[in-house]
Amino acid sequence: MAARIKIDFVSDVSCPWCAVGLSSLEQALSKVDGEIEAELHFQPFELNPDMPPEGQDTVERLSRKYGMTPEQVRQNGEAITARGREVGFTFNMDKRTHTYNTFDAHRLLHWAGLKGHQLALKHALLKAYFTDGENPSDHETLIRLCRESGLNPDRAHEILESDEYTAEVRARERFYTQQGINSVPSIILNDRHLIQGGQAPETFEQALRQVADAG
């Protein structure tokens, strides 16, 4: 009988290492398929909760937030692109010109989780931002991504035009912050074991097997 492991993947759709980490985790899960049955939940975290609706130039934002020069931002982007290539995720950093507010995307991800389409929407959001250079705060874009992920676009529009799931998302954000999560991705196995960062597939595979063996 396959071991069951609950995985809470705390992340933001504007976090490049979250895209790397998810692709890496999925490779690890494919290696343990049949041995381990994973219950994957995406939990909200906002890297830029103060971001205005129109967004901000990415180089300017990273330079101000982390004290990086434009050249350092470029080199960091190249390193992330290379890591993404290793795990099968395509970054087009030249298209990621702006950083946006992602709260509405998290509200839709919460709803998608209730409908069984969370993974599909997460993939769509990460690809839209990092591969295609789209705006993950734009409502028309979000509705289209919901439709492409098997969700009802009219219902997505209703949610975006209301404050539905705002309280739920804020509560989850507070919970993980209170648990000491201040960087992403943070991957929690069975509510006890924490793995942080865009680790290699082998690291995730080893952790999954250890947790499964421990029962």
Side-chain angles (χ1 to χ4, degrees):
M1 183 181 295
R4 291 182 61 85
I5 295 180
K6 174 174 173 263
I7 304 175
D8 288 296
F9 195 98
V10 187
S11 61
D12 197 354
V13 298
S14 64
C15 161
W17 288 111
C18 297
V20 171
L22 178 58
S23 293
S24 186
L25 173 63
E26 288 184 298
Q27 285 193 10
L29 288 171
S30 71
K31 294 284 185 63
V32 299
D33 187 38
E35 304 170 55
I36 295 172
E37 186 176 328
E39 180 187 323
L40 181 59
H41 303 275
F42 292 101
Q43 305 293 355
F45 187 97
E46 291 178 84
L47 286 171
N48 304 289
D50 58 337
M51 186 61 60
E54 67 274 12
Q56 185 179 4
D57 180 85
T58 296
V59 174
E60 179 184 326
R61 177 71 178 181
L62 293 174
S63 297
R64 183 178 301 176
K65 187 172 182 179
Y66 300 110
M68 302 168 71
T69 66
E71 176 61 19
Q72 287 173 323
V73 171
R74 185 189 65 78
Q75 291 175 350
N76 189 51
E78 288 181 354
I80 293 170
T81 298
R83 281 295 307 277
R85 193 178 301 117
E86 290 173 5
V87 294
F89 187 89
T90 301
F91 288 100
N92 290 315
M93 289 301 193
D94 56 323
K95 294 183 179 181
R96 188 185 67 148
T97 59
H98 281 69
T99 302
Y100 298 98
N101 188 292
T102 57
F103 186 72
D104 280 341
H106 286 300
R107 288 201 295 137
L108 290 174
L109 279 166
H110 181 90
W111 167 58
L114 302 176
K115 297 297 181 181
H117 292 272
Q118 200 179 40
L119 180 59
L121 182 57
K122 185 72 167 184
H123 279 157
L125 287 163
L126 290 170
K127 179 181 180 294
Y129 184 52
F130 287 112
T131 306
D132 303 331
E134 295 188 88
N135 176 355
S137 69
D138 176 71
H139 284 193
E140 288 188 10
T141 299
L142 289 171
I143 291 167
R144 190 194 83 238
L145 295 176
C146 283
R147 183 180 67 248
E148 292 172 356
S149 302
L151 291 156
N152 185 323
D154 293 332
R155 183 73 181 104
H157 180 267
E158 286 179 5
I159 292 167
L160 290 170
E161 293 301 313
S162 70
D163 63 353
E164 276 192 84
Y165 304 120
T166 292
E168 290 87 344
V169 171
R170 293 293 186 213
R172 299 311 291 167
E173 288 179 331
R174 283 194 302 272
F175 173 79
Y176 286 103
T177 300
Q178 289 166 359
Q179 296 299 307
I181 302 299
N182 53 30
S183 64
V184 287
S186 288
I187 299 93
I188 304 161
L189 308 181
N190 283 346
D191 299 317
R192 294 193 304 273
H193 309 280
L194 173 65
I195 307 168
Q196 291 189 299
Q199 302 291 339
E202 295 77 17
T203 301
F204 284 117
E205 182 184 353
Q206 182 181 30
L208 288 165
R209 291 188 186 280
Q210 287 176 345
V211 172
D213 289 344

